Amino acid sequence: MSPMTTALTRQGPAALGAVSGTRPCRSLAPLVVKPSAGVRAPRRIATVRAAESESQTDVQEQIKEQVTEITGKIKDTWAGTDDKAAVVAIGVAAFVGLWALNGVAGSLEKLPLVGGLLELVGIFVTAWFIYRYLVFGPDREELKNNINDFVKKVLGSK
């Protein structure tokens, strides 16, 4: 060890300020290595890192399997779709509609009192929808049937 390293090791982070002429930085305190008898921290750290990397690879493998499964379902559904132009048109129309609604809502939000009023209306409509369609089982079935009927009408199946 050089004399400077020995001084830094013995005096800790306070010596860093004396060497550089500035205040010692608390974030450098963990970087000061003091020799201790019988303790080998690098091995312990290496063991923890190995365990973490094994669990990360397991999680990564699970994510890859799920992504592969989902993309397979999407490919199968797309291959089974008869009217692909209608599906693309619905997707584009939905995107344009959401973009336009975002612009209108942003403009209305800037008007005084209108934003708060719209928020209050949204809360009431959401509460009504939850009570009407989601609280009771038969109502959930009715909502599911309404959505299925609407999709069939849009796709021209019915």
Side-chain angles (χ1 to χ4, degrees):
M1 281 183 149
S2 70
M4 181 60 88
T5 307
T6 305
L8 288 176
T9 303
R10 289 184 186 151
Q11 295 178 4
L16 293 175
V19 171
S20 65
T22 60
R23 292 185 354 213
C25 179
R26 292 188 186 269
S27 64
L28 294 178
L31 298 177
V32 176
V33 178
K34 294 183 180 180
S36 56
V39 177
R40 292 189 168 204
R43 284 189 183 173
R44 209 173 334 145
I45 292 171
T47 304
V48 171
R49 286 184 182 159
E52 287 177 357
S53 66
E54 289 174 5
S55 66
Q56 287 176 353
T57 56
D58 291 342
V59 170
Q60 288 174 350
E61 289 176 8
Q62 290 175 353
I63 290 173
K64 285 180 183 178
E65 291 174 2
Q66 290 176 350
V67 168
T68 305
E69 180 181 331
I70 291 171
T71 54
K73 286 181 181 179
I74 291 172
K75 287 178 183 177
D76 292 342
T77 303
W78 182 253
T81 303
D82 294 333
D83 198 4
K84 293 180 180 169
V87 173
V88 171
I90 290 170
V92 169
F95 178 75
V96 170
L98 286 174
W99 179 67
L101 282 174
N102 185 30
V104 170
S107 298
L108 288 176
E109 184 70 29
K110 293 178 184 176
L111 297 174
L113 297 177
V114 176
L117 179 65
L118 287 176
E119 188 174 343
L120 190 61
V121 168
I123 290 170
F124 283 125
V125 169
T126 302
W128 170 82
F129 181 83
I130 289 171
Y131 177 75
R132 172 67 176 91
Y133 287 111
L134 302 178
V135 174
F136 304 108
D139 294 335
R140 287 191 296 268
E141 288 296 323
E142 179 186 352
L143 175 64
K144 182 179 174 185
N145 291 335
N146 288 343
I147 291 172
N148 289 337
D149 291 342
F150 175 74
V151 169
K152 287 179 183 176
K153 285 179 186 177
V154 170
L155 294 177
S157 302
K158 192 173 184 182

